[in-house]
Amino acid sequence: MIEGTLLQAGDTVLLPERIGDLTGLDQFGLAGELLAAFIAAFIIGNLMLAMTGVAGPWAKRKITAAFTDRIAVNRLGPAGLLIIVADSVRLLSKENIIPENADRPAYDLAPIVVASSALLGFAVIPMGSGIHLADPEVGLVFVFAVAGIASLGLVMAGYSSANKYSMLGGLRAVAQNVAYEIPLVVTGMSVVIFTGSLQMSEIVAVQNQPLVDFGLFAIPAWFAIVNPFAFVLFLLANFAEVGRNPFDTPEAPTEIVAGYQTEYSSVYFVLIYLGEFLHIFLGGAIIATIFLGGPAGPGPESIGIVWFIIKIWGVFLLTQWMRSAVPRVRVDQLIEIGWKGLLVLSFANLILTAIIVGIIQ
Amino acid sequence: MSTELERDQQETGVEVTEDELEALIGDRALRRDDHLNAPGFVIRPDAVQDVLFDLRDEGGFDHLSCLTAQQYEDRYESIYHLKKYADPTQEVSVVVPTSVDDPVSQSAEPAFRTADWHEREAFDLVGIDYEGHPDPRRILLPETWQGHPLSKDYDQEQPQVVTLAEHANPIQPDHHDEESDTMFLNIGPHHPATHGVLHVKTVLDGETVVDIDPDVGYLHRCEEQMCQQGTYRHQIMPYPDRWDYVSAGLLNEWAYARTAEDLADIEVPEYAQIIRTMGAELCRIASHFLALGTFCLDVYGDFNAVFQYSFRDREVVQDILEDLTGQRLMFNYFRLGGVAWDLPEPRDEFIEKTRDFLDELPAKITEYNNLVTGNEIFQVRCNDTGVLQPDVAKDYGCTGPVARASGIDYDLRRDDPYGYYENLEWDVITRQGCDNYARVLCRMEEVEESAKIIDQCLDLLEDWPEDDREIQANVPRTLKPDPDTEVYRAVEGAKGELGIYIRSDGTDKPARFKIRSPCFHNLSALGEISEGDFIPDLIASLGSLDIVLGEVDR
């Protein structure tokens, strides 16, 4: 079914080149290329922000409502969709209250760091239908590195708000991210052992080879199918990475009010929330790319972006499901699970994978 | 001294031990001052600890149920209402008079920890000083309050200036001790997990709770004084609905009804008692569902399904209660000597509806057990956290599900029967876990027991002969109990032992009306059960105590 999508890894035409081609900007040398790249980044950035815009005020409400036996927004527009507009106006027109003792500019920078770090990660994600901004050889490492910057934003927010709840939330965020990023990356590395490359397009291409071919249809070699253990580990670590139940301790609304974001209001609040949702989507994008075959799916290659977005939303749905149904672990238990459980398992997975791959080759 | 003892053989609830009691207290009793519910001994203010220790250790009176303070023309009086956890019908009142000029009485805190908060309240509202009290501060009113509102010389007109207490300012820098590196944190009065306006002054060492000081009184509405200004017959009954206002209204009303009926010697018709029993248990179910939902809110975080599920199921109970009483929250359904009206017509429909609810209940309980108590993360969070040892629970006067989850087999519905409970088949649930998990399970199982009670009540109501449906005893329009009669009675509320003390002075209004709130006692044990735990456990423990600030602050 996906014969057509079989790799031309190195030869993928990236979005900026394509735009340059279409608009004729590539005739203007470096300046033209830069402009094309900006346009491409603008398109992808807006796509992601639009998704977040739908997710935050509307989809999240509808999803949790479905889980908790409610109806949620239904007054504005069809299925309450226009609440997105109303909420945007509401959130942006509120007064931005800044605590007197806030440590500026750290206080102001934190929301930007949180939001932009997650957005940056999408640069190297191949989303199908030719939407792929850049394809560096160290793509996977780049994504992890950029996503990791978000922790810095959380610490800045927590420390600079001059609020004890924020401080506690900030400290929890660091402890959690340190404990869970290592298993996350190590599990990601087990995929690299299969592919032999950190390049995103290469990782996607390898997964699209058939694992078992039945002639009429084939089971693709998605790493979620090849190594389900790693997939589950990664999913779990990802919950902690994006701070959702059962690992939402940095925010822990009933314990420490709202954690690091307690003091943020108005635009800053929107930015932090935007960052959180982008982070969930980025987590979904990484999972889709390295475990679920990226944009692969039935149908022509040109609708790859649709499959990709469906996969991201699948992960988003899962986070909301967990939030509705699973209790939050205590902060010390969280650290314990991270260091004593996931870390050990992820290394075991890495070594086993290495041995198996070694034997096969 | 014994020649001075005034004896009133008529009103002796516990004749068996009375001689022993007299022997036990001996010379320290100045005279007798018996109450309707218990023999009373008047003792000197400097013998309080002595007598209470003896009563506790040798008499077995291990439950300081309540402390009532009041002012007469010529004296102040503190009444310690003692009971036994093993048998709450055995009661004794220790009356401690102090002079008006120098109202100093010995503190009972060394004998009963729960006297700590009670004596603070007595000092705050009435103005009695307790010598040797470890923490003689106001409790319900602000620290800067002038005067004691329930004392005779209190000036209602005096303007009060309530300044912002400095140490409660959340913006100021950390409260570091010079040598320690702890952090002071205000949890509440506005906080997502304090179930109302509770302010917990917390000292943290990292995430560990080192010390807490619950600051209550934000919701103090002078309920006792308002009851003192209402007439027995009709004006007091609406107030109890406002104490534990989350769907436990009928249970509260019963506390007042029982006390006042005992005071005025009113016999309630059997049929009305069955309706009362059914209504009260419906309230208990609603209240326990809410307790489960809010506890899960504390453990799961917001947007969790359990909270909504529990509200969905509680809604059915609320509808039934609305059909029965005409109200959803402030029922005002009980009357002295009966209830306001019979079951709603058509009766069959009401009984059918209630039965439907009972039929669906087991499936819902199973759902909760699958979703909540069976969840491993939930168990890891709740097992062995918020541990309340039985002896500590008794020391703090804990009752209700909180005590029963610590293995204390104490339920007034069985041990001090009232209403129709003694004629019905049901069990008192106890658990040995002593932790948050045990408290949750205890409430869930109590819901099932309540369902059994309601089911039996419905059977009785259904078959009750039509011409014998007497819902109201013959009670005079204006009720004036005999002067100088005192009574303390308690019922098993949703949160525990809800007691009321009334002293009549021959008028149609009580001279003193004192409420013994179960939440007040349960909350006072919070420090004991959460110090040394982490913040999340503090929040969970607070949730599992299931307090309602309306009842704590009154």
Side-chain angles (χ1 to χ4, degrees):
Chain A
M1 88 191 159
I2 35 162
E3 301 290 303
T5 57
L6 268 182
L7 75 150
Q8 297 93 29
D11 345 319
T12 341
V13 184
L14 299 172
L15 191 59
E17 293 166 23
R18 197 173 285 190
I19 289 171
D21 237 14
L22 282 173
T23 54
L25 277 169
D26 51 356
Q27 298 158 13
F28 300 102
L30 188 64
E33 275 175 35
L34 261 178
L35 189 59
F38 267 122
I39 295 172
F42 181 78
I43 291 172
I44 290 182
N46 271 304
L47 178 68
M48 289 305 132
L49 287 175
M51 264 169 58
T52 318
V54 175
W58 185 78
K60 179 193 157 172
R61 285 177 178 167
K62 280 294 192 190
I63 293 169
T64 43
F67 280 120
T68 59
D69 214 6
R70 289 180 290 122
I71 297 168
V73 285
N74 64 347
R75 292 301 155 115
L76 294 176
L81 261 172
L82 286 181
I83 193 73
I84 298 169
V85 182
D87 258 2
S88 314
V89 173
R90 174 175 68 85
L91 285 165
L92 295 179
S93 60
K94 277 185 173 174
E95 185 190 352
N96 191 5
I97 302 164
I98 296 168
E100 209 174 36
N101 297 339
D103 188 356
R104 308 179 76 172
Y107 179 84
D108 310 82
L109 285 175
I112 299 168
V113 172
V114 173
S116 59
S117 68
L119 205 51
L120 212 55
F122 287 102
V124 295
I125 304 280
M127 303 186 197
S129 313
I131 304 180
H132 192 180
L133 202 55
D135 194 17
E137 280 180 14
V138 290
L140 191 59
V141 175
F142 176 81
V143 176
F144 284 134
V146 173
I149 296 176
S151 328
L152 177 69
L154 303 188
V155 182
M156 283 163 68
Y159 142 80
S160 66
S161 299
N163 179 311
K164 291 166 188 171
Y165 289 112
S166 305
M167 189 63 168
L168 284 171
L171 292 175
R172 283 181 175 195
V174 189
Q176 173 163 333
N177 278 314
V178 172
Y180 283 81
E181 222 147 80
I182 301 173
L184 193 76
V185 174
V186 170
T187 312
M189 285 308 124
S190 73
V191 169
V192 177
I193 293 180
F194 275 110
T195 59
S197 166
L198 289 166
Q199 202 167 14
M200 290 302 220
S201 56
E202 178 72 22
I203 292 173
V204 170
V206 169
Q207 291 183 71
N208 288 339
Q209 290 160 336
L211 184 67
V212 193
D213 205 335
F214 293 109
L216 275 176
F217 72 98
I219 296 174
W222 292 3
F223 288 119
I225 298 167
V226 176
N227 189 355
F229 181 60
F231 179 59
V232 172
L233 271 185
F234 197 89
L235 261 184
L236 262 181
N238 190 58
F239 282 134
E241 175 73 14
V242 300
R244 282 293 177 267
N245 278 24
F247 306 120
D248 73 332
T249 37
E251 248 185 273
T254 44
E255 291 163 19
I256 49 172
V257 188
Y260 50 84
Q261 52 173 322
T262 305
E263 290 289 356
Y264 282 95
S265 53
S266 183
V267 182
Y268 286 173
F269 172 80
V270 173
L271 275 174
I272 286 201
Y273 241 87
L274 207 64
E276 273 195 15
F277 277 102
L278 281 172
H279 221 78
I280 297 177
F281 284 131
L282 180 61
I286 299 173
I287 289 171
T289 307
I290 68 177
F291 283 107
L292 300 175
E301 205 183 332
S302 53
I303 62 158
I305 181 75
V306 177
W307 286 112
F308 186 74
I309 288 177
I310 288 175
K311 286 170 188 172
I312 295 185
W313 277 85
V315 176
F316 178 73
L317 187 71
L318 194 62
T319 59
Q320 297 306 316
W321 185 1
M322 295 297 265
R323 186 155 202 182
S324 300
V326 179
R328 154 200 318 142
V329 294
R330 206 168 53 211
V331 59
D332 59 313
Q333 292 165 343
L334 173 117
I335 304 297
E336 215 171 276
I337 296 170
W339 288 111
K340 292 188 188 164
L342 281 181
L343 187 68
V344 179
L345 288 176
S346 64
F347 271 108
N349 168 56
L350 184 71
I351 293 165
L352 273 178
T353 314
I355 292 171
I356 291 169
V357 170
I359 292 170
I360 291 173
Q361 287 173 352
Chain B
M1 292 287 281
S2 58
T3 50
E4 287 178 30
L5 290 177
E6 296 169 10
R7 303 211 50 182
D8 193 351
Q9 291 290 358
Q10 254 185 317
E11 21 177 270
T12 46
V14 279
E15 272 170 327
V16 199
T17 55
E18 203 168 327
D19 290 336
E20 289 162 32
L21 267 178
E22 242 170 60
L24 192 63
I25 297 173
D27 294 350
R28 289 169 300 190
L30 302 175
R31 59 177 186 280
R32 290 290 294 267
D33 180 12
D34 285 351
H35 299 164
L36 277 184
N37 62 308
F41 296 90
V42 179
I43 63 166
R44 279 204 322 277
D46 57 356
V48 174
Q49 286 179 15
D50 214 19
V51 171
L52 289 185
F53 269 122
D54 279 354
L55 284 172
R56 190 191 73 181
D57 298 334
E58 287 164 39
F61 291 94
D62 53 354
H63 181 27
L64 175 54
S65 180
C66 184
L67 162 61
T68 306
Q70 54 186 327
Q71 189 183 8
Y72 290 85
E73 291 302 330
D74 59 336
R75 66 181 191 277
Y76 284 94
E77 203 176 86
S78 314
I79 306 172
Y80 294 88
H81 303 277
L82 294 172
K83 284 184 178 183
K84 293 182 179 180
Y85 271 107
D87 177 12
T89 53
Q90 293 191 37
E91 299 173 76
V92 60
S93 302
V94 176
V95 183
V96 190
T98 45
S99 72
V100 177
D101 305 327
D102 184 25
V104 180
S105 177
Q106 198 176 35
S107 171
E109 194 271 339
F112 295 97
R113 271 294 290 139
T114 183
D116 177 357
W117 278 27
H118 268 298
E119 286 173 355
R120 278 175 68 186
E121 187 188 318
F123 161 72
D124 191 1
L125 299 182
V126 183
I128 302 174
D129 287 327
Y130 290 91
E131 202 175 8
H133 190 281
D135 188 18
R137 286 178 293 151
R138 287 184 180 272
I139 186 164
L140 293 177
L141 301 179
E143 279 165 42
T144 52
W145 201 264
Q146 301 297 309
H148 305 279
L150 291 182
S151 66
K152 300 266 181 211
D153 55 355
Y154 181 69
D155 180 10
Q156 300 267 12
E157 308 292 316
Q158 180 189 10
Q160 299 278 355
V161 181
V162 179
T163 55
L164 181 69
E166 234 176 64
H167 63 264
N169 183 352
I171 306 171
Q172 82 178 38
D174 292 359
H175 282 251
H176 283 294
D177 282 342
E178 286 302 322
E179 61 271 19
S180 78
D181 48 0
T182 54
M183 178 167 86
F184 177 86
L185 182 69
N186 284 309
I187 297 183
H190 303 293
H191 185 277
T194 52
H195 298 223
V197 277
L198 172 68
H199 175 196
V200 185
K201 297 171 190 166
T202 319
V203 178
L204 296 175
D205 179 8
E207 285 260 356
T208 313
V209 177
V210 180
D211 183 36
I212 67 158
D213 175 19
D215 176 15
V216 300
Y218 287 87
L219 205 54
H220 180 56
R221 292 151 299 163
C222 323
E223 290 283 351
E224 290 175 3
Q225 201 166 27
M226 288 198 293
C227 289
Q228 280 164 218
Q229 288 162 0
T231 56
Y232 290 106
R233 187 71 173 86
H234 289 298
Q235 290 180 348
I236 295 177
M237 195 55 91
Y239 289 127
D241 287 322
R242 279 127 180 107
W243 303 342
D244 178 355
Y245 47 69
V246 282
S247 55
L250 293 182
L251 294 157
N252 304 348
E253 287 177 20
W254 207 341
Y256 170 64
R258 187 180 186 201
T259 315
E261 282 156 9
D262 273 11
L263 184 71
D265 203 12
I266 299 167
E267 197 66 42
V268 183
E270 210 172 331
Y271 182 71
Q273 291 286 30
I274 297 173
I275 298 182
R276 281 184 176 186
T277 309
M278 180 189 69
E281 292 310 308
L282 282 168
C283 280
R284 193 181 312 275
I285 291 181
S287 179
H288 282 358
F289 271 149
L290 188 90
L292 174 79
T294 50
F295 179 70
C296 287
L297 209 54
D298 292 342
V299 175
Y300 282 60
D302 49 4
F303 299 112
N304 83 81
V306 189
F307 181 69
Q308 293 293 335
Y309 284 13
S310 71
F311 257 75
R312 176 196 66 194
D313 297 340
R314 181 176 167 275
E315 184 64 23
V316 185
V317 189
Q318 291 275 289
D319 284 345
I320 296 171
L321 283 168
E322 187 182 356
D323 289 346
L324 178 67
T325 68
Q327 273 286 347
R328 287 174 60 83
L329 199 61
M330 304 296 166
F331 305 111
N332 191 16
Y333 177 61
F334 285 12
R335 296 285 180 270
L336 297 189
V339 291
W341 43 71
D342 199 353
L343 299 191
E345 293 294 341
R347 280 173 77 89
D348 295 343
E349 210 171 275
F350 174 79
I351 291 172
E352 186 72 14
K353 188 174 174 181
T354 316
R355 276 202 204 289
D356 283 349
F357 165 70
L358 296 179
D359 291 343
E360 285 163 18
L361 198 61
K364 286 171 179 169
I365 303 268
T366 313
E367 187 182 10
Y368 287 122
N369 283 334
N370 290 340
L371 185 63
V372 186
T373 51
N375 185 312
E376 281 177 23
I377 300 179
F378 185 83
Q379 290 174 3
V380 169
R381 274 300 307 276
C382 298
N383 273 326
D384 294 324
T385 61
V387 177
L388 178 65
Q389 295 300 344
D391 50 335
V392 179
K394 286 181 178 176
D395 211 13
Y396 278 93
C398 295
T399 48
V402 174
R404 289 194 284 274
S406 290
I408 299 172
D409 193 8
Y410 181 77
D411 190 324
L412 291 177
R413 289 174 292 172
R414 181 201 58 198
D415 299 336
D416 181 12
Y418 57 97
Y420 209 71
Y421 288 111
E422 52 188 334
N423 307 322
L424 305 173
E425 289 287 319
W426 59 284
D427 295 315
V428 174
I429 302 295
T430 54
R431 296 199 76 87
Q432 305 300 327
C434 307
D435 52 15
N436 288 339
Y437 192 59
R439 290 194 270 277
V440 172
L441 285 183
C442 190
R443 290 201 181 90
M444 294 310 294
E445 287 173 31
E446 273 183 26
V447 167
E448 291 175 80
E449 293 302 319
S450 293
K452 275 191 211 166
I453 296 175
I454 297 169
D455 194 37
Q456 295 169 53
C457 289
L458 284 175
D459 286 341
L460 289 164
L461 291 173
E462 203 168 24
D463 302 335
W464 207 267
E466 200 169 340
D467 47 2
D468 195 22
R469 291 179 189 158
E470 197 186 343
I471 56 159
Q472 176 70 47
N474 200 5
V475 181
R477 190 170 275 274
T478 311
L479 206 60
K480 288 183 179 173
D482 300 333
D484 275 327
T485 327
E486 295 169 60
V487 64
Y488 172 73
R489 276 272 174 253
V491 298
E492 186 70 28
K495 273 76 176 172
E497 178 179 334
L498 177 62
I500 289 172
Y501 165 89
I502 297 179
R503 173 168 67 87
S504 71
D505 56 359
T507 65
D508 59 350
K509 294 171 185 170
R512 178 77 170 104
F513 192 99
K514 162 80 188 162
I515 307 158
R516 186 256 189 221
S517 147
C519 294
F520 189 73
H521 291 73
N522 293 350
L523 177 62
S524 67
L526 179 65
E528 199 74 41
I529 67 178
S530 59
E531 277 165 21
D533 281 356
F534 291 99
I535 307 173
D537 290 337
L538 165 70
I539 302 294
S541 302
L542 182 60
S544 78
L545 289 179
D546 186 24
I547 54 160
V548 174
L549 269 300
E551 195 179 76
V552 175
D553 296 344
R554 286 155 285 144

